[in-house]
Amino acid sequence: MSSNDDLGETRDLSGWRRKRRNFSLLVLAAGLLLFCAAAGTLYYVLRPATLRIAVGPGGSDDQKLVQALAQNFDLERRAVRLHPITTDGAVESLGLLGAGKADLAVGRGDLDMPANAETVAIVRKNFVVLWSPSGAPSKGSKRQPAPKIKTLDDLAGHRVGMIGKTPANVALLRVILSESGIAADKVAVTQFATNQIEELARDPNLDAFMAVGPLDSKITIDALAATARARGEPKFLPIDVSEAIAHRHPLYESEEIPGSIFNSKPAWPDDKIETVSVNHLIVARKALSETTVAELARQLFAVRHEIAKQVPGAAHIRKPDTDKDAELPVHRGAAAYIDGNERTFLDKYGDYFWFALLLLSALGSAWAWLSHFMKRDERQLNTLHRDKLTDLISRARVAETPEQLLVLQDEVDAMLRETLAAYDDGAIEEGDLSTFNLALGQFHHAVAERRMATNGSTPEPARLRAR
């Protein structure tokens, strides 16, 4: 093989190595891109979810509760965060939910719910409290006058003062009257805002009063106290048909108001009485992620007692009934958490992990095959080097001058460098290197023998002596 051929081979090999290095850089860049894409996907999956929750009116117990929850979730760096949207009331809140401008809303269960609304949690139970004044005793009389209205049947032809401007309270009273056999149109209703309790207590045209709220509601307790001061001790009116109402109107439940719950001395009421209740709810859009709602439910029930230190109403937060026949269905995410059927992280993303592992395994195998394929020329060249080295051994044994031996050694040195480079690149294995080393030893032995044979007739060149 001529020196020009050797030079061509070396140039070809150098060019191929440059191409292989460029390809390796390209593969590395692709790997980094894949890693960044995986990291970005993981961040997208695990980033906190912020849900818009509509609640109102401003300054109400509901608004204070949601604000406290939002602050707690932010401080604790929870997976789900809340962004409160203050509204004029529950009707507007539910309207925003139905329009897709809110993810969650707080409102009573008997309001006109959007078709896509599902329950996440019960904020509290609102109990109906009906009472009539017994009348203030006349001057000098110690005898307590008898109340004009003693039962619901006595309400016909009279006027009820109702606390709260929501039309849902009026609708609820009409249901109670109808189920009690009282013509609803025979009972007049006057509604008062929650900040008009004194006006309600002093209105002489009112013969009975109604409040709807939790049993520890300050509004209800203040209204009872105000009417007692202005009109005499309250006479509580039981709703004896509460079970029938609950059966025919599933949004309502039959409940009992315990004795002395509103006051102990005197006892208000003096004994337990039947009534109905309606749930105040946090509802979510049906399309909201199951995972997100399940996590929200977990957070709500985990922090409610802590939040109750700031907002006492948080202690009333309860889990809804996951019965599939419920009038207002529970969101599948909340139901999964409540029933203990929530999917774990591996359940939700296990398929993706297995797919990623299979993909990485396939990429690894492809890379190994590609690397082996790209190094085929180096392996072939190494085979040629061994064959050429065998030929050089024969040529060394018949060399006539030391200069010819030097030329042969230069060729062997070049082949040695390329062989070691191929070994470093992983193109050849240790066994191939050992084989080449065996042939190299034979070459040096042949050169040494030939050098001894030619030393007697021809002076050894300085370069050869340096070796």
Side-chain angles (χ1 to χ4, degrees):
M1 185 181 292
S2 66
S3 59
N4 288 335
D5 292 338
D6 295 342
L7 183 60
E9 286 182 5
T10 303
R11 288 176 177 172
D12 290 343
L13 184 60
S14 298
W16 181 255
R17 284 176 178 162
R18 282 196 300 272
K19 292 179 180 178
R20 189 157 56 84
R21 281 196 298 270
N22 292 338
F23 182 78
S24 298
L25 291 174
L26 182 62
V27 172
L28 179 61
L32 289 174
L33 182 62
L34 183 63
F35 174 79
C36 291
T41 302
L42 189 63
Y43 171 78
Y44 178 81
V45 171
L46 299 180
R47 81 191 193 286
T50 300
L51 303 179
R52 301 162 299 171
I53 179 168
V55 60
S60 64
D61 291 342
D62 290 342
Q63 198 266 347
K64 292 176 182 177
L65 172 61
V66 169
Q67 192 64 45
L69 289 171
Q71 291 175 356
N72 179 275
F73 292 171
D74 286 342
L75 289 175
E76 298 293 332
R77 299 183 180 277
R78 300 280 183 171
V80 177
R81 313 289 174 85
L82 296 177
H83 173 67
I85 301 174
T86 303
T87 65
D88 291 336
V91 174
E92 183 183 354
S93 298
L94 295 172
L96 291 178
L97 181 75
K101 296 180 180 179
D103 304 302
L104 306 167
V106 180
R108 261 172 52 173
D110 59 343
L111 291 174
D112 187 15
M113 286 283 173
N116 63 342
E118 293 184 336
T119 305
V120 175
I122 298 173
V123 177
R124 63 177 179 272
K125 281 184 178 293
N126 290 324
F127 291 75
V128 175
V129 183
L130 278 165
W131 74 97
S132 64
S134 58
S138 59
K139 290 184 179 182
S141 174
K142 296 182 179 180
R143 185 177 180 181
Q144 184 71 33
K148 183 190 307 184
I149 297 175
K150 299 179 181 179
T151 66
L152 287 181
D153 294 336
D154 298 331
L155 283 177
H158 294 279
R159 181 176 295 276
V160 174
M162 186 175 294
I163 303 173
K165 293 284 191 176
T166 174
N169 284 349
V170 178
L172 177 52
L173 177 60
R174 297 193 183 283
V175 169
I176 294 171
L177 295 173
S178 297
E179 293 296 334
S180 300
I182 304 169
D185 57 357
K186 297 294 184 180
V187 179
V189 175
T190 302
Q191 291 183 276
F192 293 81
T194 55
N195 59 356
Q196 295 179 310
I197 289 177
E198 291 299 328
E199 290 88 333
L200 171 139
R202 292 194 299 265
D203 191 333
N205 298 316
L206 303 178
D207 302 307
F209 308 96
M210 175 176 167
V212 182
L215 293 179
D216 60 353
S217 168
K218 185 176 183 302
I219 294 173
T220 301
I221 294 172
D222 287 349
L224 285 166
T227 58
R229 288 192 303 269
R231 306 280 299 277
E233 292 294 307
K235 166 62 178 177
F236 291 90
L237 308 178
I239 303 174
D240 297 327
V241 293
S242 60
E243 291 186 3
I245 292 174
H247 179 73
R248 294 173 185 163
H249 305 272
L251 290 174
Y252 304 118
E253 297 178 19
S254 175
E255 301 284 353
E256 285 186 347
I257 298 177
S260 304
I261 190 69
F262 301 120
N263 195 55
S264 56
K265 291 183 179 181
W268 294 349
D270 56 2
D271 197 2
K272 62 184 180 180
I273 58 173
E274 287 189 52
T275 188
V276 295
S277 70
V278 58
N279 289 330
H280 209 76
L281 308 170
I282 295 178
V283 293
R285 290 186 296 109
K286 182 178 181 179
L288 207 57
S289 164
E290 175 182 339
T291 303
T292 301
V293 175
E295 184 59 33
L296 172 63
R298 179 186 294 104
Q299 293 177 195
L300 280 173
F301 299 116
V303 306
R304 57 181 171 174
H305 296 299
E306 181 181 348
I307 298 298
K309 298 175 184 177
Q310 309 169 41
V311 183
H316 296 302
I317 296 177
R318 295 287 184 270
K319 297 175 181 178
D321 184 2
T322 58
D323 187 350
K324 293 182 179 180
D325 295 331
E327 186 73 12
L328 188 61
V330 177
H331 193 282
R332 62 191 183 283
Y337 167 73
I338 294 168
D339 293 338
N341 298 326
E342 187 181 3
R343 293 188 299 165
T344 65
F345 184 84
L346 287 178
D347 290 334
K348 290 179 282 190
Y349 302 109
D351 291 342
Y352 295 103
F353 281 119
W354 283 115
F355 177 76
L357 288 174
L358 290 174
L359 180 61
L360 289 175
S361 176
L363 289 175
S365 299
W367 171 248
W369 176 86
L370 191 59
S371 298
H372 187 269
F373 175 78
M374 293 185 65
K375 294 172 183 177
R376 69 190 187 284
D377 286 354
E378 287 187 89
R379 290 193 298 274
Q380 292 174 358
L381 187 60
N382 179 257
T383 302
L384 293 175
H385 284 338
R386 289 203 312 268
D387 295 340
K388 184 177 180 182
L389 187 55
T390 303
D391 180 62
L392 290 178
I393 293 172
S394 300
R395 291 170 59 186
R397 287 174 177 160
V398 297
E400 297 179 354
T401 64
E403 286 76 8
Q404 291 178 340
L405 292 174
L406 287 175
V407 171
L408 295 177
Q409 284 185 315
D410 286 340
E411 291 185 33
V412 171
D413 288 343
M415 287 190 292
L416 179 60
R417 284 192 297 271
E418 292 178 356
T419 300
L420 291 176
Y423 176 75
D424 291 338
D425 289 344
I428 61 174
E429 298 180 356
E430 190 170 348
D432 299 316
L433 189 62
S434 299
T435 302
F436 182 85
N437 187 51
L438 179 62
L440 184 62
Q442 290 296 321
F443 172 78
H444 286 309
H445 183 68
V447 169
E449 287 182 346
R450 190 57 185 166
R451 191 177 296 160
M452 292 177 60
T454 58
N455 273 345
S457 58
T458 305
E460 186 177 13
R463 181 182 172 193
L464 189 59
R465 288 197 302 271
R467 289 177 179 273

